[in-house]
Each structure stands twice: as structure tokens, then as C-alpha cells.
Amino acid sequence: MSRKPCCVGEGLKKGAWTTEEDKKLISYIHEHGEGGWRDIPQKAGLKRCGKSCRLRWANYLKPDIKRGEFSYEEEQIIIMLHASRGNKWSAIARHLPKRTDNEVKNYWNTHLKKRLLDQGIDPLTHKPLASNPNPATPTTSEGQDDSNPNLDEQSQSGSMSPKSLPISSSSCSLQKISNSDETPRNNGSLSSNKCRFKKSSSTSKLLNKVATKASSIGNMVSASMEGSLIRSTTFSPCLNDVFSETSQFQMDEFAPFSHSSDQHITDHMNEDINMDFDLSNSEFSFSQFIEQFSNIEAEEANAIGGYNQDLLLSDVSSTSVDEDNMMQNITGWSNYLVDDSDFSYDTNQDFDDKNFI
DNA sequence: AACAGTCTCAACCGCCTCGAG
DNA sequence: TCTCGAGGCGGTTGAGACTGT
């Protein structure tokens, strides 16, 4: 045993990396590959700790890292996974393609945590704060989310905020995808013994709800990719491009969500496409889709107690949605939510709504 | 324009796990 | 079986950017 420690030595540089250092590290890794971090600084001519090199590479220099704003879908995935797993940033990041744990962690600490607090939700427990009996409707200006300028815009302009969207009980048949016992139907990716998240909490109820709805959308997306959508249902030209270029549509990139099945898709298609949003509208945008999708959720979301429309949709209108990634995200998200081995399921246990706030 | 306060996020720190020896 | 180091992870820090006065 004669290993030398990783980070000992005089004259090791700390602080921000320079462009020159980045070039050296990239060049070395391109030539020799990752690994052996202890020796990389010396071999690459860097006065850095090997650990620092690994971090720099993993978080910022790797070619397949996605930078910039988090999409609406990514935000929701982070919130949901954090609710179930806590501060397991690497575990959460694994389900966000091309995002790093550090970036997810930072985004949570600087954006999402505050938003939850503004919503009156404890970011640790994901339950309503005890001091706020009505978290869904912050009453003071301080309670509003300053990070979402659209709230003010909407209230001033009179345009419909997600919270004020009219509830249309007949607008959508999504609820039909549940069986009479309220367990989500088996959609292929959802095996019959994986029907329910075991934990009885407002969070798990939300997870079940979203899984149910999202799996429906996922089916639609999956079906469309396989050309099984009925002829009258068309997406916008942009989305059609995505579907027609299936060779470029690499679900494998979305590793945790890569499996999909066409089983039962046909069963759900008629229901899914009966939704009010007009998929044949060439002006159809994802933001509009989410807004309309939210209509039927508004009433139920308020009843959940913890999460409400402000949280789930607070940034929809302001978030620039990458529609290419969106198609992957919806399918992946839905598959993930209903088929993640990290969760425990109890087939026989019905939801106990009494446990919900 | 200048200053103070706040926010963001890249990077560091220290602990933990796992595997090699 | 034990020791030790590499790699991984989550928490924290602090410099720079941003915002308000």
C-alpha cells in the first residue's frame, strides 16, 4: 500500500478555473479519457487537486452537460423527486438528462426552495407550513413569489393566471384513465402490481395524480412517435418534425425513462385525444397545453393541501420550453413516476385520503 | 454615480462508501 | 480482516453580479 494522497502538496491552486486550465484538462481527457484523477493534474500540467479536476470536468467541462434555465418539466421533476428522496441531489440529477447534481442542488437552493416557502410549503417536508393555514392563497405581498413577474402581470392585465383558470369538469377525460377503484390503469409501463405509491402523504398523492395524468400524455406521445395516432390528430409542424425524424429521436439519451410500451395505448388514445386542447391547432404551444391541462387540475390541486396551481404552474408562461426535450420529458417523466424501483408500492393498499391534509 | 444589501452559482470542504492491497 | 486512498456526495462558502436606494 503505497498510494499517495490525492490532495496534498504545496502550491496547489484554488479558486476559479481559467480558460487555459480548462483547455489543458479537456485536452488531456480527450486524449486519455476519464479516471485516474489523482494523476491527471501532474500529467495535464495543472496545479490543481485531482478532486478539483474531477469536479470541474464533471460539472462544467463535460461535453454533454446542459446549461441554462431549467424547464418547467425539470422543475416539477426536481420538486417531486425531492419530496420523495430529500437532498439526494445525485439521485435526482440522474433523472434529469444532462444536468449535474451541483446544478440541481443550486437551483433547488436558490429558486425552488424559495418558491415552496412562498407557497407556504415546507421545503423539507413538502407539507404546508404550520404557521400558514391557507398556503394556497398567500394574503400578503411578501407571500407572493417575486421570482415570477407573471403573477403581477396577470393580475394587472386581467389575463388568466393558472389559479384563476376556469374549472371545466367536462373538459377532459383524463380522469377516465383511472379504474373505478381509482388505481391508475395498467398502461404497459405500469405493471399491475405497481399501482400506488405506498406512502400516504400529500406528496405521494400528488405523485399518484401526476403519474396518472402524465402517463396518459406519455402514452399519447409514445403512440404518436410510433405512428399510431389517428389521422385526425396532428401536432404542430414543429412537433411533427420531431416525430417524423424518429432516427434522431434518441430515447436512449433519457436513460432512466427509455422504456416505453404500446400496450394499452390504443385503449387510451380515444380518451386522451378527447381532451379540450386542440392538438390539430398549428399554433398549439406547450404553454397553452399546460394551461389547458391545468384546468381540470385546479380544483383537485387546491384540495391536495400542499401543492397548488401557483406552484405547479407558476412559471409556465414565462418558461421557454424546449419542445424537443419536452417530448422526451413527458414520456420519461410519466414512465419514471409510475415505474421507479426506488419507490415502494403496495398493490393492495388503497389510498387513505384521511391521511392527506 | 455610489453605496449597501441581496442573490447566484462555481468551487471547496469534509465525510462516507467501496474496493484494492 | 484491516487499512488506506479514490471517487462520490451533500453542505457550505465567497466572489462577482445584480438590484434597490
Side-chain angles (χ1 to χ4, degrees), chain A residues 28-29 32-41 43 50 54 57:
Chain A
Y28 180 86
I29 291 177
H32 300 94
E34 297 180 45
W37 295 106
R38 181 192 56 181
D39 300 324
I40 283 184
K43 291 179 178 174
R54 183 180 62 82
W57 172 257

mmCIF file of all heavy atoms in Angstrom, chain A residues 28-29 32-41 43 50 54 57, chain C residues 6-8:
data_model
loop_
_atom_site.group_PDB
_atom_site.id
_atom_site.type_symbol
_atom_site.label_atom_id
_atom_site.label_comp_id
_atom_site.label_asym_id
_atom_site.label_seq_id
_atom_site.Cartn_x
_atom_site.Cartn_y
_atom_site.Cartn_z
ATOM 1 N N TYR A 28 -6.423 16.865 -22.120
ATOM 2 C CA TYR A 28 -5.902 15.628 -21.532
ATOM 3 C C TYR A 28 -6.963 14.524 -21.513
ATOM 4 O O TYR A 28 -6.694 13.378 -21.868
ATOM 5 C CB TYR A 28 -5.404 15.892 -20.108
ATOM 6 C CG TYR A 28 -4.856 14.646 -19.455
ATOM 7 C CD1 TYR A 28 -3.526 14.273 -19.635
ATOM 8 C CD2 TYR A 28 -5.679 13.818 -18.694
ATOM 9 C CE1 TYR A 28 -3.017 13.133 -19.061
ATOM 10 C CE2 TYR A 28 -5.188 12.662 -18.121
ATOM 11 C CZ TYR A 28 -3.855 12.320 -18.304
ATOM 12 O OH TYR A 28 -3.355 11.170 -17.742
ATOM 13 N N ILE A 29 -8.168 14.893 -21.110
ATOM 14 C CA ILE A 29 -9.220 13.876 -21.002
ATOM 15 C C ILE A 29 -9.631 13.362 -22.380
ATOM 16 O O ILE A 29 -9.921 12.180 -22.553
ATOM 17 C CB ILE A 29 -10.424 14.444 -20.227
ATOM 18 C CG1 ILE A 29 -10.032 14.636 -18.763
ATOM 19 C CG2 ILE A 29 -11.630 13.514 -20.321
ATOM 20 C CD1 ILE A 29 -11.094 15.249 -17.894
ATOM 21 N N HIS A 32 -6.777 10.911 -23.098
ATOM 22 C CA HIS A 32 -6.561 9.755 -22.224
ATOM 23 C C HIS A 32 -7.823 9.233 -21.566
ATOM 24 O O HIS A 32 -7.807 8.193 -20.913
ATOM 25 C CB HIS A 32 -5.542 10.107 -21.140
ATOM 26 C CG HIS A 32 -4.208 10.497 -21.672
ATOM 27 N ND1 HIS A 32 -3.858 11.822 -21.899
ATOM 28 C CD2 HIS A 32 -3.137 9.759 -22.079
ATOM 29 C CE1 HIS A 32 -2.616 11.880 -22.391
ATOM 30 N NE2 HIS A 32 -2.164 10.649 -22.513
ATOM 31 N N GLY A 33 -8.902 9.967 -21.687
ATOM 32 C CA GLY A 33 -10.138 9.515 -21.050
ATOM 33 C C GLY A 33 -10.216 9.910 -19.592
ATOM 34 O O GLY A 33 -9.259 10.426 -19.016
ATOM 35 N N GLU A 34 -11.409 9.657 -19.009
ATOM 36 C CA GLU A 34 -11.616 9.992 -17.608
ATOM 37 C C GLU A 34 -10.983 8.939 -16.713
ATOM 38 O O GLU A 34 -10.636 7.858 -17.159
ATOM 39 C CB GLU A 34 -13.111 10.082 -17.296
ATOM 40 C CG GLU A 34 -13.829 11.184 -18.047
ATOM 41 C CD GLU A 34 -15.303 11.221 -17.699
ATOM 42 O OE1 GLU A 34 -15.642 11.127 -16.503
ATOM 43 O OE2 GLU A 34 -16.130 11.326 -18.621
ATOM 44 N N GLY A 35 -10.902 9.271 -15.432
ATOM 45 C CA GLY A 35 -10.368 8.328 -14.462
ATOM 46 C C GLY A 35 -8.942 8.637 -14.096
ATOM 47 O O GLY A 35 -8.257 9.407 -14.780
ATOM 48 N N GLY A 36 -8.497 8.023 -13.017
ATOM 49 C CA GLY A 36 -7.146 8.284 -12.542
ATOM 50 C C GLY A 36 -6.947 9.736 -12.209
ATOM 51 O O GLY A 36 -5.926 10.348 -12.548
ATOM 52 N N TRP A 37 -7.900 10.285 -11.508
ATOM 53 C CA TRP A 37 -7.895 11.729 -11.256
ATOM 54 C C TRP A 37 -6.669 12.174 -10.468
ATOM 55 O O TRP A 37 -6.226 13.312 -10.595
ATOM 56 C CB TRP A 37 -9.176 12.128 -10.531
ATOM 57 C CG TRP A 37 -10.390 11.920 -11.378
ATOM 58 C CD1 TRP A 37 -11.325 10.937 -11.248
ATOM 59 C CD2 TRP A 37 -10.782 12.706 -12.507
ATOM 60 N NE1 TRP A 37 -12.292 11.060 -12.220
ATOM 61 C CE2 TRP A 37 -11.982 12.143 -13.014
ATOM 62 C CE3 TRP A 37 -10.254 13.817 -13.159
ATOM 63 C CZ2 TRP A 37 -12.649 12.657 -14.116
ATOM 64 C CZ3 TRP A 37 -10.918 14.330 -14.267
ATOM 65 C CH2 TRP A 37 -12.097 13.756 -14.730
ATOM 66 N N ARG A 38 -6.188 11.278 -9.667
ATOM 67 C CA ARG A 38 -5.039 11.647 -8.842
ATOM 68 C C ARG A 38 -3.855 12.078 -9.704
ATOM 69 O O ARG A 38 -3.110 13.001 -9.372
ATOM 70 C CB ARG A 38 -4.647 10.443 -7.975
ATOM 71 C CG ARG A 38 -3.485 10.691 -7.059
ATOM 72 C CD ARG A 38 -3.001 9.380 -6.489
ATOM 73 N NE ARG A 38 -2.651 8.427 -7.547
ATOM 74 C CZ ARG A 38 -2.214 7.198 -7.340
ATOM 75 N NH1 ARG A 38 -2.133 6.745 -6.113
ATOM 76 N NH2 ARG A 38 -1.899 6.402 -8.341
ATOM 77 N N ASP A 39 -3.707 11.407 -10.826
ATOM 78 C CA ASP A 39 -2.534 11.664 -11.652
ATOM 79 C C ASP A 39 -2.768 12.723 -12.734
ATOM 80 O O ASP A 39 -1.826 13.181 -13.374
ATOM 81 C CB ASP A 39 -2.087 10.363 -12.318
ATOM 82 C CG ASP A 39 -1.731 9.311 -11.286
ATOM 83 O OD1 ASP A 39 -1.184 9.692 -10.225
ATOM 84 O OD2 ASP A 39 -2.008 8.124 -11.523
ATOM 85 N N ILE A 40 -4.018 13.054 -12.934
ATOM 86 C CA ILE A 40 -4.332 13.968 -14.033
ATOM 87 C C ILE A 40 -3.660 15.332 -13.899
ATOM 88 O O ILE A 40 -3.083 15.841 -14.874
ATOM 89 C CB ILE A 40 -5.863 14.108 -14.197
ATOM 90 C CG1 ILE A 40 -6.392 12.865 -14.911
ATOM 91 C CG2 ILE A 40 -6.227 15.374 -14.955
ATOM 92 C CD1 ILE A 40 -7.872 12.912 -15.221
ATOM 93 N N PRO A 41 -3.701 15.960 -12.712
ATOM 94 C CA PRO A 41 -3.102 17.298 -12.623
ATOM 95 C C PRO A 41 -1.656 17.324 -13.087
ATOM 96 O O PRO A 41 -1.259 18.196 -13.870
ATOM 97 C CB PRO A 41 -3.204 17.623 -11.125
ATOM 98 C CG PRO A 41 -4.347 16.818 -10.647
ATOM 99 C CD PRO A 41 -4.314 15.542 -11.434
ATOM 100 N N LYS A 43 -0.034 15.086 -14.970
ATOM 101 C CA LYS A 43 0.117 14.731 -16.379
ATOM 102 C C LYS A 43 -0.404 15.822 -17.309
ATOM 103 O O LYS A 43 0.079 15.976 -18.428
ATOM 104 C CB LYS A 43 -0.598 13.406 -16.651
ATOM 105 C CG LYS A 43 0.079 12.218 -15.986
ATOM 106 C CD LYS A 43 -0.685 10.933 -16.269
ATOM 107 C CE LYS A 43 0.013 9.736 -15.638
ATOM 108 N NZ LYS A 43 -0.771 8.481 -15.780
ATOM 109 N N GLY A 50 -6.543 16.661 -7.781
ATOM 110 C CA GLY A 50 -7.240 15.757 -8.682
ATOM 111 C C GLY A 50 -8.744 15.796 -8.498
ATOM 112 O O GLY A 50 -9.518 15.703 -9.443
ATOM 113 N N ARG A 54 -11.667 16.563 -11.243
ATOM 114 C CA ARG A 54 -12.843 15.724 -11.485
ATOM 115 C C ARG A 54 -14.121 16.548 -11.413
ATOM 116 O O ARG A 54 -15.018 16.436 -12.242
ATOM 117 C CB ARG A 54 -12.908 14.599 -10.465
ATOM 118 C CG ARG A 54 -14.048 13.647 -10.675
ATOM 119 C CD ARG A 54 -14.056 12.538 -9.635
ATOM 120 N NE ARG A 54 -14.224 13.049 -8.281
ATOM 121 C CZ ARG A 54 -15.398 13.370 -7.748
ATOM 122 N NH1 ARG A 54 -16.499 13.274 -8.457
ATOM 123 N NH2 ARG A 54 -15.471 13.822 -6.512
ATOM 124 N N TRP A 57 -14.472 18.879 -14.391
ATOM 125 C CA TRP A 57 -14.865 18.142 -15.584
ATOM 126 C C TRP A 57 -16.329 17.695 -15.493
ATOM 127 O O TRP A 57 -17.119 17.904 -16.404
ATOM 128 C CB TRP A 57 -13.961 16.921 -15.760
ATOM 129 C CG TRP A 57 -14.412 16.010 -16.857
ATOM 130 C CD1 TRP A 57 -15.076 14.814 -16.726
ATOM 131 C CD2 TRP A 57 -14.272 16.213 -18.272
ATOM 132 N NE1 TRP A 57 -15.335 14.262 -17.951
ATOM 133 C CE2 TRP A 57 -14.855 15.104 -18.926
ATOM 134 C CE3 TRP A 57 -13.705 17.223 -19.057
ATOM 135 C CZ2 TRP A 57 -14.882 14.978 -20.312
ATOM 136 C CZ3 TRP A 57 -13.747 17.102 -20.443
ATOM 137 C CH2 TRP A 57 -14.324 15.993 -21.047
ATOM 138 P P DA C 6 -5.360 8.518 -3.896
ATOM 139 O OP1 DA C 6 -4.255 8.642 -4.855
ATOM 140 O OP2 DA C 6 -5.706 9.659 -3.021
ATOM 141 O "O5'" DA C 6 -6.663 8.075 -4.681
ATOM 142 C "C5'" DA C 6 -6.698 6.787 -5.301
ATOM 143 C "C4'" DA C 6 -8.057 6.556 -5.934
ATOM 144 O "O4'" DA C 6 -9.011 6.234 -4.903
ATOM 145 C "C3'" DA C 6 -8.617 7.769 -6.674
ATOM 146 O "O3'" DA C 6 -9.251 7.320 -7.859
ATOM 147 C "C2'" DA C 6 -9.587 8.393 -5.686
ATOM 148 C "C1'" DA C 6 -10.059 7.198 -4.854
ATOM 149 N N9 DA C 6 -10.307 7.485 -3.447
ATOM 150 C C8 DA C 6 -9.518 8.216 -2.601
ATOM 151 N N7 DA C 6 -9.977 8.291 -1.375
ATOM 152 C C5 DA C 6 -11.143 7.547 -1.416
ATOM 153 C C6 DA C 6 -12.101 7.230 -0.433
ATOM 154 N N6 DA C 6 -12.030 7.641 0.826
ATOM 155 N N1 DA C 6 -13.154 6.472 -0.803
ATOM 156 C C2 DA C 6 -13.220 6.053 -2.070
ATOM 157 N N3 DA C 6 -12.391 6.276 -3.080
ATOM 158 C C4 DA C 6 -11.358 7.040 -2.675
ATOM 159 P P DG C 7 -9.796 8.349 -8.906
ATOM 160 O OP1 DG C 7 -9.662 7.734 -10.246
ATOM 161 O OP2 DG C 7 -9.225 9.678 -8.623
ATOM 162 O "O5'" DG C 7 -11.341 8.381 -8.534
ATOM 163 C "C5'" DG C 7 -12.068 7.161 -8.467
ATOM 164 C "C4'" DG C 7 -13.408 7.389 -7.817
ATOM 165 O "O4'" DG C 7 -13.218 7.670 -6.415
ATOM 166 C "C3'" DG C 7 -14.226 8.554 -8.385
ATOM 167 O "O3'" DG C 7 -15.486 8.046 -8.776
ATOM 168 C "C2'" DG C 7 -14.328 9.551 -7.234
ATOM 169 C "C1'" DG C 7 -14.165 8.642 -6.018
ATOM 170 N N9 DG C 7 -13.661 9.271 -4.804
ATOM 171 C C8 DG C 7 -12.529 10.038 -4.683
ATOM 172 N N7 DG C 7 -12.324 10.457 -3.458
ATOM 173 C C5 DG C 7 -13.376 9.927 -2.731
ATOM 174 C C6 DG C 7 -13.691 10.037 -1.359
ATOM 175 O O6 DG C 7 -13.077 10.647 -0.472
ATOM 176 N N1 DG C 7 -14.864 9.343 -1.036
ATOM 177 C C2 DG C 7 -15.622 8.633 -1.932
ATOM 178 N N2 DG C 7 -16.717 8.032 -1.452
ATOM 179 N N3 DG C 7 -15.341 8.523 -3.225
ATOM 180 C C4 DG C 7 -14.209 9.184 -3.552
ATOM 181 P P DG C 8 -16.566 8.941 -9.465
ATOM 182 O OP1 DG C 8 -17.237 8.102 -10.472
ATOM 183 O OP2 DG C 8 -15.962 10.230 -9.828
ATOM 184 O "O5'" DG C 8 -17.581 9.194 -8.266
ATOM 185 C "C5'" DG C 8 -18.083 8.084 -7.545
ATOM 186 C "C4'" DG C 8 -18.963 8.568 -6.417
ATOM 187 O "O4'" DG C 8 -18.137 9.060 -5.335
ATOM 188 C "C3'" DG C 8 -19.917 9.708 -6.798
ATOM 189 O "O3'" DG C 8 -21.223 9.360 -6.386
ATOM 190 C "C2'" DG C 8 -19.377 10.917 -6.045
ATOM 191 C "C1'" DG C 8 -18.692 10.272 -4.845
ATOM 192 N N9 DG C 8 -17.601 11.047 -4.272
ATOM 193 C C8 DG C 8 -16.516 11.566 -4.939
ATOM 194 N N7 DG C 8 -15.685 12.206 -4.164
ATOM 195 C C5 DG C 8 -16.250 12.105 -2.894
ATOM 196 C C6 DG C 8 -15.809 12.606 -1.644
ATOM 197 O O6 DG C 8 -14.798 13.266 -1.406
ATOM 198 N N1 DG C 8 -16.696 12.271 -0.617
ATOM 199 C C2 DG C 8 -17.844 11.545 -0.777
ATOM 200 N N2 DG C 8 -18.564 11.323 0.321
ATOM 201 N N3 DG C 8 -18.275 11.070 -1.937
ATOM 202 C C4 DG C 8 -17.432 11.385 -2.949
#
